[in-house]
Protein backbone atom coordinates (compact mmCIF):
# COMPACT_ATOMS: atom_id res chain seq x y z
CA UNK A 1 0.00 0.00 0.00
CA UNK A 2 1.18 3.52 -0.72
CA UNK A 3 2.46 5.89 1.92
CA UNK A 4 -0.12 8.29 0.53
CA UNK A 5 -3.02 6.03 1.49
CA UNK A 6 -1.75 5.46 5.02
CA UNK A 7 -1.63 9.23 5.43
CA UNK A 8 -5.40 9.57 4.90
CA UNK A 9 -7.47 9.70 8.08
CA UNK A 10 -10.63 7.60 8.23
CA UNK A 11 -13.58 10.03 8.12
CA UNK A 12 -14.62 11.15 11.61
CA UNK A 13 -18.17 11.36 10.22
CA UNK A 14 -18.25 7.69 9.24
CA UNK A 15 -15.53 5.79 11.08
CA UNK A 16 -17.72 4.87 14.06
CA UNK A 17 -20.34 3.31 11.76
CA UNK A 18 -19.35 -0.29 12.74
CA UNK A 19 -20.26 0.58 16.37
CA UNK A 20 -23.61 1.98 15.18
CA UNK A 21 -24.28 -1.12 13.08
CA UNK A 22 -23.50 -3.28 16.07
CA UNK A 23 -25.89 -1.26 18.26
CA UNK A 24 -28.60 -1.69 15.61
CA UNK A 25 -27.99 -5.45 15.55
CA UNK A 26 -28.67 -5.38 19.30
CA UNK A 27 -32.04 -3.75 18.54
CA UNK A 28 -31.07 -0.22 19.59
CA UNK A 29 -32.39 2.73 17.59
CA UNK A 30 -29.54 5.06 16.63
CA UNK A 31 -30.27 8.74 15.94
CA UNK A 32 -27.77 9.75 13.26
CA UNK A 33 -26.61 13.25 14.07
CA UNK A 34 -23.12 12.39 12.82
CA UNK A 35 -23.73 12.99 9.12
CA UNK A 36 -25.31 15.74 7.03
CA UNK A 37 -27.98 13.47 5.59
CA UNK A 38 -31.25 15.37 6.05
CA UNK A 39 -34.64 13.71 6.57
CA UNK A 40 -36.13 16.46 4.35
CA UNK A 41 -37.96 15.16 1.28
CA UNK A 42 -36.42 15.82 -2.15
CA UNK A 43 -38.74 18.08 -4.26
CA UNK A 44 -41.32 15.74 -5.87
CA UNK A 45 -40.62 16.98 -9.41
CA UNK A 46 -37.01 15.82 -9.00
CA UNK A 47 -38.13 12.28 -8.18
CA UNK A 48 -40.62 12.45 -11.05
CA UNK A 49 -37.91 13.54 -13.49
CA UNK A 50 -35.91 10.42 -12.59
CA UNK A 51 -39.01 8.23 -12.94
CA UNK A 52 -39.70 9.76 -16.35
CA UNK A 53 -36.13 9.40 -17.62
CA UNK A 54 -36.87 8.39 -21.16
CA UNK A 55 -33.53 7.81 -22.90
CA UNK A 56 -32.98 4.44 -24.54
CA UNK A 57 -29.26 4.64 -23.82
CA UNK A 58 -27.70 6.07 -20.69
CA UNK A 59 -24.91 7.64 -22.66
CA UNK A 60 -21.76 9.57 -21.80
CA UNK A 61 -22.48 13.29 -21.75
CA UNK A 62 -20.37 16.43 -22.00
CA UNK A 63 -17.41 16.53 -19.59
CA UNK A 64 -18.35 20.02 -18.42
CA UNK A 65 -21.93 18.90 -17.83
CA UNK A 66 -25.10 18.90 -19.89
CA UNK A 67 -25.66 22.17 -21.73
CA UNK A 68 -29.31 22.35 -20.71
CA UNK A 69 -28.39 22.21 -17.04
CA UNK A 70 -25.53 24.69 -17.47
CA UNK A 71 -27.87 27.06 -19.28
CA UNK A 72 -30.50 26.74 -16.56
CA UNK A 73 -28.14 27.62 -13.72
CA UNK A 74 -27.46 31.33 -14.37
CA UNK A 75 -31.08 32.20 -13.56
CA UNK A 76 -30.68 30.44 -10.21
CA UNK A 77 -27.54 32.50 -9.47
CA UNK A 78 -29.37 35.62 -10.63
CA UNK A 79 -31.97 34.97 -7.92
CA UNK A 80 -29.39 36.07 -5.33
CA UNK A 81 -27.86 38.82 -7.43
CA UNK A 82 -24.97 37.01 -9.13
CA UNK A 83 -24.31 37.36 -12.85
CA UNK A 84 -22.72 34.32 -14.38
CA UNK A 85 -22.98 32.65 -17.77
CA UNK A 86 -22.96 28.92 -18.62
CA UNK A 87 -19.28 29.30 -19.63
CA UNK A 88 -18.41 30.30 -16.06
CA UNK A 89 -19.43 26.96 -14.59
CA UNK A 90 -18.81 23.26 -14.83
CA UNK A 91 -21.02 20.46 -13.52
CA UNK A 92 -19.13 18.11 -11.22
CA UNK A 93 -19.82 14.81 -9.52
CA UNK A 94 -20.84 16.54 -6.30
CA UNK A 95 -19.21 19.48 -4.60
CA UNK A 96 -16.67 16.87 -3.49
CA UNK A 97 -15.30 16.52 -7.00
CA UNK A 98 -15.29 20.31 -7.44
CA UNK A 99 -13.04 20.55 -4.36
CA UNK A 100 -10.72 17.88 -5.74
CA UNK A 101 -10.55 19.65 -9.11
CA UNK A 102 -9.65 22.92 -7.36
CA UNK A 103 -6.75 21.36 -5.46
CA UNK A 104 -5.38 19.58 -8.53
CA UNK A 105 -5.80 22.64 -10.75
CA UNK A 106 -4.25 25.25 -8.47
CA UNK A 107 -1.60 23.34 -6.59
CA UNK A 108 1.58 21.40 -7.15
CA UNK A 109 2.72 18.90 -4.53
CA UNK A 110 3.66 20.67 -1.26
CA UNK A 111 1.80 23.84 -2.22
CA UNK A 112 -0.30 25.30 0.55
CA UNK A 113 -3.93 26.28 1.07
CA UNK A 114 -4.90 28.30 4.14
CA UNK A 115 -8.10 27.23 5.86
CA UNK A 116 -9.90 28.25 9.05
CA UNK A 117 -10.28 25.30 11.44
CA UNK A 118 -12.43 23.50 12.38
CA UNK A 119 -13.09 22.79 8.71
CA UNK A 120 -15.12 20.37 6.57
CA UNK A 121 -13.08 17.30 7.31
CA UNK A 122 -13.21 15.69 3.84
CA UNK A 123 -11.23 18.65 2.52
CA UNK A 124 -8.33 17.14 4.45
CA UNK A 125 -8.61 13.96 2.39
CA UNK A 126 -8.84 15.85 -0.91
CA UNK A 127 -5.81 17.98 0.02
CA UNK A 128 -3.83 14.92 1.05
CA UNK A 129 -4.75 13.15 -2.20
CA UNK A 130 -3.35 16.10 -4.15
CA UNK A 131 -0.28 16.35 -1.85
CA UNK A 132 -1.43 19.80 -0.76
CA UNK A 133 -0.57 21.11 2.69
CA UNK A 134 -3.44 22.69 4.66
CA UNK A 135 -2.27 25.63 6.78
CA UNK A 136 -4.82 26.18 9.55
CA UNK A 137 -6.00 29.40 11.14
CA UNK A 138 -7.86 28.49 14.30
CA UNK A 139 -11.33 29.86 15.00
CA UNK A 140 -12.72 29.53 18.51
CA UNK A 141 -15.88 28.12 19.98
CA UNK A 142 -15.97 30.85 22.65
CA UNK A 143 -16.59 33.59 20.06
CA UNK A 144 -18.90 31.57 17.80
CA UNK A 145 -16.13 30.63 15.34
CA UNK A 146 -16.04 34.08 13.73
CA UNK A 147 -13.23 34.82 11.28
CA UNK A 148 -9.92 34.93 13.17
CA UNK A 149 -7.95 38.16 12.96
CA UNK A 150 -6.72 38.75 9.43
CA UNK A 151 -3.14 38.90 10.76
CA UNK A 152 -3.35 35.17 11.50
CA UNK A 153 -4.03 34.56 7.81
CA UNK A 154 -1.18 36.87 6.83
CA UNK A 155 1.14 34.96 9.13
CA UNK A 156 0.40 31.71 7.27
CA UNK A 157 1.19 33.06 3.80
CA UNK A 158 4.40 31.74 2.26
CA UNK A 159 5.73 31.53 -1.29
CA UNK A 160 3.93 28.17 -1.51
CA UNK A 161 0.47 29.56 -0.71
CA UNK A 162 -1.93 29.15 -3.61
CA UNK A 163 -5.14 30.22 -1.93
CA UNK A 164 -7.46 30.55 1.03
CA UNK A 165 -10.41 28.17 1.34
CA UNK A 166 -13.51 29.28 3.23
CA UNK A 167 -16.79 27.49 3.74
CA UNK A 168 -19.79 29.78 4.26
CA UNK A 169 -22.24 29.01 5.82
CA UNK A 170 -19.73 26.82 7.54
CA UNK A 171 -19.65 23.12 8.06
CA UNK A 172 -19.04 22.32 10.94
CA UNK A 173 -19.38 25.63 12.82
CA UNK A 174 -22.43 27.26 11.19
CA UNK A 175 -20.61 30.59 10.92
CA UNK A 176 -21.47 32.83 7.97
CA UNK A 177 -18.68 35.13 6.90
CA UNK A 178 -19.85 38.74 6.96
CA UNK A 179 -19.41 41.23 4.17
CA UNK A 180 -16.62 42.83 6.17
CA UNK A 181 -14.85 39.50 6.75
CA UNK A 182 -15.08 38.59 3.06
CA UNK A 183 -13.71 41.99 2.08
CA UNK A 184 -10.70 41.60 4.33
CA UNK A 185 -9.94 38.19 2.87
CA UNK A 186 -10.49 39.37 -0.71
CA UNK A 187 -8.08 42.25 -0.18
CA UNK A 188 -5.54 39.84 1.26
CA UNK A 189 -5.73 37.44 -1.67
CA UNK A 190 -5.42 40.32 -4.11
CA UNK A 191 -2.40 41.69 -2.26
CA UNK A 192 -0.66 38.31 -2.38
CA UNK A 193 -1.90 37.30 -5.85
CA UNK A 194 -3.53 34.09 -4.67
CA UNK A 195 -7.05 32.60 -4.98
CA UNK A 196 -10.06 32.67 -2.70
CA UNK A 197 -12.09 29.49 -2.88
CA UNK A 198 -15.46 29.58 -1.13
CA UNK A 199 -17.55 26.49 -0.55
CA UNK A 200 -21.11 27.82 -0.58
CA UNK A 201 -23.03 24.54 -0.60
CA UNK A 202 -25.17 25.70 2.37
CA UNK A 203 -25.95 29.18 1.03
CA UNK A 204 -29.74 28.66 1.28
CA UNK A 205 -29.51 28.02 5.01
CA UNK A 206 -28.93 31.41 6.65
CA UNK A 207 -31.01 32.11 9.75
CA UNK A 208 -32.19 35.04 11.88
CA UNK A 209 -33.53 36.85 8.82
CA UNK A 210 -30.02 37.36 7.41
CA UNK A 211 -29.43 37.37 3.67
CA UNK A 212 -26.49 35.52 2.19
CA UNK A 213 -23.71 37.37 0.38
CA UNK A 214 -21.98 35.23 -2.20
CA UNK A 215 -18.32 35.84 -2.86
CA UNK A 216 -19.36 35.92 -6.52
CA UNK A 217 -21.02 39.29 -5.93
CA UNK A 218 -17.71 41.19 -5.84
CA UNK A 219 -16.93 41.63 -9.58
CA UNK A 220 -13.70 43.52 -8.89
CA UNK A 221 -12.15 40.33 -7.46
CA UNK A 222 -13.83 37.88 -9.86
CA UNK A 223 -10.61 36.76 -11.48
CA UNK A 224 -9.31 35.18 -8.28
CA UNK A 225 -12.56 33.79 -6.90
CA UNK A 226 -13.68 30.16 -7.20
CA UNK A 227 -16.96 28.83 -5.81
CA UNK A 228 -17.74 25.23 -4.94
CA UNK A 229 -21.43 24.46 -5.10
CA UNK A 230 -23.70 21.46 -4.76
CA UNK A 231 -27.27 20.27 -5.26
CA UNK A 232 -26.92 17.81 -2.35
CA UNK A 233 -28.10 19.94 0.55
CA UNK A 234 -30.10 22.62 -1.24
CA UNK A 235 -32.61 20.14 -2.64
CA UNK A 236 -31.97 17.30 -0.22
CA UNK A 237 -30.63 15.11 -3.01
CA UNK A 238 -27.26 14.08 -1.52
CA UNK A 239 -27.23 10.74 -3.33
CA UNK A 240 -27.57 12.34 -6.75
CA UNK A 241 -23.90 13.48 -6.71
CA UNK A 242 -24.26 16.72 -8.66
CA UNK A 243 -22.18 19.79 -7.87
CA UNK A 244 -20.85 22.87 -9.62
CA UNK A 245 -17.51 24.59 -9.96
CA UNK A 246 -17.92 28.29 -10.71
CA UNK A 247 -15.31 30.85 -11.71
CA UNK A 248 -15.01 33.85 -13.98
CA UNK A 249 -11.38 32.85 -14.33
CA UNK A 250 -11.55 30.52 -17.30
CA UNK A 251 -7.96 29.36 -16.84
CA UNK A 252 -9.21 27.63 -13.70
CA UNK A 253 -12.07 25.98 -15.58
CA UNK A 254 -9.80 25.06 -18.52
CA UNK A 255 -7.43 23.37 -16.07
CA UNK A 256 -10.24 21.54 -14.30
CA UNK A 257 -11.60 20.50 -17.70
CA UNK A 258 -8.59 18.20 -18.21
CA UNK A 259 -9.62 16.29 -15.09
CA UNK A 260 -13.27 16.44 -16.12
CA UNK A 261 -12.44 14.89 -19.48
CA UNK A 262 -10.43 12.14 -17.82
CA UNK A 263 -13.41 11.16 -15.70
CA UNK A 264 -15.57 11.48 -18.85
CA UNK A 265 -18.78 13.08 -17.54
CA UNK A 266 -20.92 13.70 -14.47
CA UNK A 267 -23.77 11.19 -13.95
CA UNK A 268 -26.47 11.58 -16.58
CA UNK A 269 -29.71 10.57 -14.85
CA UNK A 270 -28.78 12.77 -11.92
CA UNK A 271 -28.28 15.76 -14.20
CA UNK A 272 -31.85 15.27 -15.40
CA UNK A 273 -32.87 15.32 -11.74
CA UNK A 274 -30.75 18.43 -11.17
CA UNK A 275 -32.40 20.21 -14.08
CA UNK A 276 -35.79 19.58 -12.48
CA UNK A 277 -34.36 20.76 -9.16
CA UNK A 278 -33.31 24.14 -10.58
CA UNK A 279 -36.97 24.77 -11.35
CA UNK A 280 -38.00 24.12 -7.74
CA UNK A 281 -40.30 26.92 -6.50
CA UNK A 282 -38.54 29.15 -3.98
CA UNK A 283 -41.24 28.25 -1.50
CA UNK A 284 -39.65 24.80 -1.07
CA UNK A 285 -36.36 26.38 0.02
CA UNK A 286 -38.18 28.81 2.34
CA UNK A 287 -40.02 25.96 4.05
CA UNK A 288 -36.85 23.87 4.41
CA UNK A 289 -34.92 26.82 5.81
CA UNK A 290 -37.64 27.55 8.37
CA UNK A 291 -37.56 23.89 9.40
CA UNK A 292 -33.77 23.91 9.95
CA UNK A 293 -33.99 27.17 11.85
CA UNK A 294 -36.61 25.64 14.14
CA UNK A 295 -34.35 22.63 14.69
CA UNK A 296 -31.37 24.84 15.42
CA UNK A 297 -33.27 26.81 18.04
CA UNK A 298 -34.55 23.62 19.60
CA UNK A 299 -31.15 21.93 19.64
CA UNK A 300 -29.32 24.91 21.12
CA UNK A 301 -31.95 25.22 23.87
CA UNK A 302 -31.70 21.50 24.66
CA UNK A 303 -27.89 21.61 24.74
CA UNK A 304 -27.93 24.60 27.07
CA UNK A 305 -29.93 22.54 29.56
CA UNK A 306 -27.23 19.84 29.77
CA UNK A 307 -24.70 20.60 32.54
CA UNK A 308 -21.14 21.05 31.28
CA UNK A 309 -22.08 21.39 27.59
CA UNK A 310 -21.18 24.59 25.75
CA UNK A 311 -22.12 25.81 22.29
CA UNK A 312 -23.11 29.02 20.58
CA UNK A 313 -26.02 29.39 18.22
CA UNK A 314 -24.89 28.72 14.63
CA UNK A 315 -25.98 31.28 12.05
CA UNK A 316 -26.35 28.92 9.12
CA UNK A 317 -25.91 25.44 7.57
CA UNK A 318 -27.19 22.59 9.76
CA UNK A 319 -24.33 21.76 12.09
CA UNK A 320 -22.90 22.95 15.32
CA UNK A 321 -19.79 22.20 17.32
CA UNK A 322 -20.40 21.60 21.03
CA UNK A 323 -17.89 21.29 23.84
CA UNK A 324 -18.61 18.36 26.15
CA UNK A 325 -17.43 17.68 29.71
CA UNK A 326 -15.18 14.86 28.49
CA UNK A 327 -11.48 14.58 27.70
CA UNK A 328 -11.81 12.38 24.67
CA UNK A 329 -14.98 12.97 22.63
CA UNK A 330 -14.24 10.01 20.37
CA UNK A 331 -14.15 7.68 23.36
CA UNK A 332 -17.45 9.19 24.52
CA UNK A 333 -19.01 8.76 21.05
CA UNK A 334 -17.97 5.08 21.13
CA UNK A 335 -19.44 4.78 24.65
CA UNK A 336 -22.75 6.14 23.31
CA UNK A 337 -22.89 3.43 20.66
CA UNK A 338 -21.27 0.48 22.46
CA UNK A 339 -22.14 0.81 26.13
CA UNK A 340 -25.19 3.03 26.41
CA UNK A 341 -28.91 3.06 25.67
CA UNK A 342 -31.90 4.93 27.00
CA UNK A 343 -35.20 3.15 26.41
CA UNK A 344 -33.65 1.29 23.48
CA UNK A 345 -32.24 4.43 21.87
CA UNK A 346 -28.89 6.15 21.49
CA UNK A 347 -27.30 8.89 19.41
CA UNK A 348 -24.37 8.97 17.02
CA UNK A 349 -22.23 12.13 16.92
CA UNK A 350 -19.03 13.00 15.05
CA UNK A 351 -15.95 13.58 17.23
CA UNK A 352 -14.64 17.01 16.26
CA UNK A 353 -10.87 16.43 16.45
CA UNK A 354 -10.87 15.22 12.82
CA UNK A 355 -12.28 18.61 11.81
CA UNK A 356 -9.08 20.32 12.96
CA UNK A 357 -5.72 20.36 11.19
CA UNK A 358 -3.96 21.02 14.50
CA UNK A 359 -3.74 17.64 16.24
CA UNK A 360 -4.15 19.00 19.77
CA UNK A 361 -7.52 20.67 19.13
CA UNK A 362 -11.13 19.53 19.30
CA UNK A 363 -10.64 16.55 21.62
CA UNK A 364 -13.50 17.61 23.88
CA UNK A 365 -15.81 18.69 21.06
CA UNK A 366 -18.35 16.99 18.82
CA UNK A 367 -20.08 18.04 15.64
CA UNK A 368 -23.84 17.66 15.75
CA UNK A 369 -25.86 17.70 12.51
CA UNK A 370 -29.45 18.84 13.13
CA UNK A 371 -30.77 16.89 10.19
CA UNK A 372 -33.58 15.14 12.09
CA UNK A 373 -36.96 16.53 13.12
CA UNK A 374 -37.44 18.05 16.57
CA UNK A 375 -39.15 14.95 17.99
CA UNK A 376 -36.11 12.82 17.12
CA UNK A 377 -33.80 15.60 18.31
CA UNK A 378 -35.57 15.60 21.68
CA UNK A 379 -34.98 11.86 22.13
CA UNK A 380 -31.40 12.23 20.91
CA UNK A 381 -30.68 15.00 23.41
CA UNK A 382 -32.23 12.96 26.22
CA UNK A 383 -29.75 10.21 25.28
CA UNK A 384 -26.84 12.67 25.26
CA UNK A 385 -27.79 14.06 28.68
CA UNK A 386 -28.21 10.63 30.26
CA UNK A 387 -25.03 9.30 28.67
CA UNK A 388 -22.98 12.22 30.00
CA UNK A 389 -24.39 11.47 33.48
CA UNK A 390 -23.45 7.80 33.32
CA UNK A 391 -20.14 8.11 31.40
CA UNK A 392 -17.49 6.98 33.87
CA UNK A 393 -14.82 9.30 32.43
CA UNK A 394 -16.97 12.45 32.59
CA UNK A 395 -14.96 15.52 33.63
CA UNK A 396 -16.48 16.94 36.83
CA UNK A 397 -16.18 20.68 37.52
C1 LIG B 1 -19.02 22.03 3.16
C2 LIG B 1 -19.26 20.90 2.25
N1 LIG B 1 -18.76 20.92 1.02
C3 LIG B 1 -18.95 19.91 0.16
C4 LIG B 1 -19.68 18.82 0.52
C5 LIG B 1 -19.84 17.71 -0.45
O1 LIG B 1 -21.02 17.83 -1.13
P1 LIG B 1 -21.45 16.82 -2.28
O2 LIG B 1 -22.47 15.91 -1.70
O3 LIG B 1 -22.01 17.73 -3.31
O4 LIG B 1 -20.23 16.12 -2.76
C6 LIG B 1 -20.24 18.74 1.79
C7 LIG B 1 -21.01 17.56 2.22
O5 LIG B 1 -21.35 17.38 3.35
C8 LIG B 1 -20.03 19.81 2.68
O6 LIG B 1 -20.54 19.80 3.92
Amino acid sequence: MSERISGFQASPIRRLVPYANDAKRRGIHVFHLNIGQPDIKTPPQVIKAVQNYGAQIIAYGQSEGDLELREALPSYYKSFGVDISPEDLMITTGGSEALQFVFMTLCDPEDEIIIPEPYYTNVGAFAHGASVVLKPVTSNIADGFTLPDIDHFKAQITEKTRGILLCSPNNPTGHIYTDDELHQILELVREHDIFLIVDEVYREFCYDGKDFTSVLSYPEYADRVIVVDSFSKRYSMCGARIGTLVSKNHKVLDGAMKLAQARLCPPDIEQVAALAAVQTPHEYLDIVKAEYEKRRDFLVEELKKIPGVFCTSPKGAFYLVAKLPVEDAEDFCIYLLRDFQLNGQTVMLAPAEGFYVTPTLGHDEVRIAYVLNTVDLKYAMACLKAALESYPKRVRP
Side-chain angles (χ1 to χ4, degrees), residues 23-305:
K24 287 173 198 172
R25 270 193 291 276
R26 285 181 278 117
I28 295 170
H29 182 82
V30 179
F31 294 105
H32 280 276
L33 304 187
N34 58 305
I35 188 164
Q37 172 52 64
D39 63 357
I40 304 282
K41 287 221 169 76
T42 310
Q45 74 272 17
V46 175
I47 305 287
K48 212 166 263 164
V50 176
Q51 286 164 344
N52 292 343
Y53 182 78
Q56 297 294 307
I57 301 171
I58 306 172
Y60 286 132
Q62 302 288 316
S63 297
E64 66 274 36
D66 283 352
L67 187 58
E68 216 184 335
L69 178 57
R70 289 174 53 238
E71 284 181 341
L73 276 168
S75 65
Y76 159 70
Y77 285 93
K78 191 92 196 148
S79 71
F80 52 94
V82 166
D83 266 320
I84 55 156
S85 70
E87 291 70 42
D88 302 327
L89 64 91
M90 168 187 289
I91 306 299
T92 53
T93 310
S96 303
E97 188 181 62
L99 283 163
Q100 292 172 69
F101 283 1
V102 169
F103 282 124
M104 297 289 281
T105 302
L106 300 187
C107 302
D108 285 312
E110 310 313 322
D111 277 349
E112 297 167 357
I113 295 282
I114 298 170
I115 189 165
E117 65 178 353
Y119 71 108
Y120 172 49
T121 179
N122 288 338
V123 165
F126 303 144
H128 182 72
S131 302
V132 171
V133 180
L134 292 180
K135 299 289 289 282
V137 173
T138 306
S139 64
N140 293 302
I141 192 166
D143 53 22
F145 297 106
T146 48
L147 190 79
D149 194 285
I150 200 76
D151 287 339
H152 295 297
F153 286 85
K154 281 186 191 154
Q156 288 289 34
I157 293 180
T158 72
E159 74 282 359
K160 293 218 165 268
T161 308
R162 303 294 297 134
I164 296 175
L165 171 54
L166 301 180
C167 174
S168 184
N170 191 276
N171 175 5
T173 68
H175 182 61
I176 301 172
Y177 295 102
T178 62
D179 189 45
D180 179 50
E181 289 174 335
L182 280 178
H183 247 122
Q184 290 184 55
I185 293 282
L186 283 163
E187 271 305 305
L188 188 66
V189 297
R190 176 148 73 183
E191 195 184 316
H192 291 271
D193 194 19
I194 56 177
F195 285 92
L196 175 59
I197 308 121
V198 186
D199 180 334
E200 296 186 355
V201 310
Y202 297 98
R203 79 163 69 77
E204 268 70 28
F205 311 122
C206 298
Y207 312 130
D208 308 314
K210 296 247 164 55
D211 283 333
F212 176 73
T213 308
S214 170
V215 74
L216 293 165
S217 42
Y218 301 86
E220 63 277 31
Y221 301 96
D223 205 36
R224 56 186 70 254
V225 163
I226 302 169
V227 162
V228 169
D229 210 347
S230 170
F231 283 69
S232 290
K233 316 290 170 164
R234 190 185 311 145
Y235 305 111
S236 197
M237 48 189 288
C238 298
R241 316 306 309 125
I242 299 292
T244 321
L245 180 61
V246 188
S247 184
K248 291 270 180 194
N249 185 328
H250 289 189
K251 279 195 187 156
V252 173
L253 293 182
D254 290 348
M257 187 61 177
K258 295 180 191 168
L259 300 165
Q261 287 178 344
R263 67 82 165 102
L264 306 172
C265 68
D268 187 63
I269 303 173
E270 284 82 347
Q271 287 185 88
V272 172
L275 184 60
V278 179
Q279 278 128 32
T280 302
H282 210 274
E283 199 194 357
Y284 170 89
L285 296 170
D286 292 341
I287 293 169
V288 173
K289 179 166 96 163
E291 173 63 24
Y292 282 130
E293 188 161 358
K294 186 174 87 181
R295 293 175 182 189
R296 177 207 58 174
D297 292 344
F298 181 79
L299 180 66
V300 170
E301 276 312 303
E302 290 296 300
L303 286 168
K304 276 189 189 152
K305 288 186 213 154

Side-chain angles (χ1 to χ4, degrees), residues 296-370:
R296 177 207 58 174
D297 292 344
F298 181 79
L299 180 66
V300 170
E301 276 312 303
E302 290 296 300
L303 286 168
K304 276 189 189 152
K305 288 186 213 154
I306 306 177
V309 174
F310 177 80
C311 70
T312 56
S313 183
K315 297 184 169 53
F318 41 67
Y319 308 93
L320 64 75
V321 175
K323 210 176 180 57
L324 303 182
V326 302
E327 269 178 12
D328 181 348
E330 175 143 346
D331 183 73
F332 175 67
C333 290
I334 293 172
Y335 170 81
L336 273 166
L337 296 170
R338 192 185 56 196
D339 308 312
F340 173 85
Q341 59 152 307
L342 180 67
N343 304 322
Q345 299 177 330
T346 192
V347 56
M348 183 170 181
L349 307 173
E353 69 176 85
F355 293 76
Y356 286 86
V357 181
T358 308
T360 50
L361 296 177
H363 290 272
D364 58 352
E365 295 172 1
V366 287
R367 186 194 74 164
I368 305 179
Y370 43 100

